[in-house]
Amino acid sequence: MIGRGAAADGCEPAGIATTAMAGIVHALLSPDEIGLFSGFAQRRNLQQGDCLFRRGDRGSSMFVITSGHVELDFGEDLVIKRLGINEFFGELGLLIGDHLRSADAHAGQDTEVLELGHADFHRLVEAEPVLVAYFLRRSIMRVVSNEQMLIGQLRRRNHDLEAALDNLYVTTHQLSHTRELVRTDELTGLHNRRGLALYLQECRAQEDGPAQGLLLIDCDRFKQVNDQFGHLAGDRVLQSVANILRSMAGADDLACRLGGDEFCLLLRRANAAIVQHAAEFVLSAVHGLLERSHGMPQVCHLSIGASLLQADADWSEWYANADRALYQAKRGGGDRLCWPHDVTEIH
């Protein structure tokens, strides 16, 4: 054992420096330190699986392993640290006193440890102050090294978590985008028939029931537009109609392209006056666009069949009522609104 005056010149004890620097992270004690600690600490024998302390426990002792090994589990998905013979741990409890343990400590096999408490440590300091001073300096370096390692692990885990969240966001966005594509008409951006069916299902699941008003809309002489000006002009007409319906639809309403040049507008909360007003707005907007059109058509006249919806009926009945009114509007020359009660029997 090294005496009190062995490092009086300020130098570290011979042969310790290299060993200590190599053992900062693993906290290896030199043979001199082991011999010194053994003379003051209490020996404890542990069986495999025995717990020395748990994370969050308060402690004021440090431990040195003389046989077997101890596993430190810091939780939070951090790497479990395994300590073997001549390694020490728990020194912050000794140095600070009443310190909250940062890990669970379990014996990985039958193990013997030296337990050094405050009173033991004070006697040790009186016996070998130089060696203890060097041990303390090395312990502080180890604490800093361990904290840096834990911070690095937490940063890596946080980075992995951020990456996982980013991937989840991208996947969710892709799924949402896919769902929108499934229920959206590619040309106009309105809902398609599938979107309409899903909307009707969602409405029925709500307390206030299904939509209350329906406008069934058809473009007048649309085939002539395609034949005379080409399909690009026809697509532009359909997109203009879609924009008008989109501007008319409220947050709870649904504008839909049923196919070809046929559209519908479902009004979530409506009466006859509201449905009438919506149809007149659509017709007026078309007239405004037509007045400003020169040469290539931007839109065409529309025929509209309107009906109020009954909660106990289904879509096919709603559609049939509005379709009869739409047929009557077509027969009348188009560019108009008709209701089912406007339909007259033809013999």
Side-chain angles (χ1 to χ4, degrees), residues 110-182:
D110 291 348
T111 300
E112 181 186 70
V113 298
L114 302 177
E115 181 175 1
L116 193 72
H118 269 293
D120 305 323
F121 186 68
H122 286 307
R123 292 199 305 273
L124 189 151
V125 171
E126 292 176 357
E128 293 289 348
V130 174
L131 194 62
V132 171
Y134 174 66
F135 165 76
L136 290 177
R137 188 178 71 178
R138 201 163 101 251
S139 295
I140 292 172
M141 295 172 67
R142 175 180 178 255
V143 168
V144 171
S145 175
N146 285 344
E147 290 301 316
Q148 289 175 338
M149 179 185 67
L150 290 175
I151 290 171
Q153 290 179 350
L154 288 171
R155 283 177 175 169
R156 286 192 295 274
R157 192 189 63 154
N158 189 54
H159 174 75
D160 292 342
L161 180 59
E162 288 179 349
L165 290 175
D166 287 342
N167 290 336
L168 180 60
Y169 172 79
V170 170
T171 302
T172 302
H173 177 73
Q174 289 173 340
L175 289 174
S176 298
H177 185 60
T178 300
R179 184 180 66 176
E180 287 304 312
L181 288 177
V182 167

Side-chain angles (χ1 to χ4, degrees), residues 2 44 87 100 122 167 192 205 207 227 249 267 300 309:
I2 297 175
R44 289 183 58 179
E87 292 189 89
L100 291 178
H122 286 307
N167 290 336
N192 54 22
E207 293 181 358
D227 292 343
L267 301 174
C300 61
L309 310 182

